[in-house]
Amino acid sequence: MSDDYQVFIPPSFHALHADARGRLQLPLAEFRARYELCEDLAQALTERAQLIRFDLGVTEGDVLLRIGQGLREPASGLQGAEPGWVLHRLAELLDWPWDEALAG
């Protein structure tokens, strides 16, 4: 039986769900679903982040800080260090500077 999953999952996301030896701490199907949720969320937030920056006239860091607060709420559905990963990915997608302090 072959594994036809062709989505590349970056090592930075793998590290969120791996133990010290690099082994996943959740089933592969769940890991893939968590990645797709986080990547889709980061993609979906790009337009919203740009609108916040434009409408409020705040810095990119302020926008990321505000969005990060929402991502850390239990209602976001994110687990563990996923909110920080989504925020970092959002900054990458927007080509905004990243400050590790935002990861929380």
Side-chain angles (χ1 to χ4, degrees):
M1 190 175 228
S2 72
D3 185 5
D4 293 335
Y5 191 79
Q6 296 182 4
V7 175
F8 172 75
I9 298 177
S12 61
F13 190 82
H14 184 274
L16 300 181
H17 296 286
D19 64 14
R21 294 175 60 189
R23 294 178 299 190
L24 284 178
Q25 296 298 296
L26 64 163
L28 186 57
E30 183 180 345
F31 170 69
R32 290 172 172 168
R34 302 275 344 138
Y35 171 72
E36 289 179 16
L37 168 73
C38 290
E39 179 65 25
D40 289 349
L41 185 55
Q43 295 280 343
L45 285 169
T46 57
E47 185 176 343
R48 180 73 181 133
Q50 290 170 326
L51 287 173
I52 291 170
R53 184 164 190 276
F54 178 76
D55 290 346
L56 300 180
V58 297
T59 67
E60 295 158 345
D62 287 338
V63 173
L64 293 172
L65 185 64
R66 291 171 191 230
I67 291 175
Q69 290 170 343
L71 293 174
R72 287 179 184 83
E73 292 293 320
S76 73
L78 301 179
Q79 304 171 353
E82 289 175 349
W85 188 91
V86 170
L87 206 57
H88 191 185
R89 179 68 177 132
L90 175 60
E92 286 178 349
L93 291 168
L94 293 168
D95 199 26
W96 288 0
W98 175 249
D99 181 351
E100 203 58 44
L102 293 170

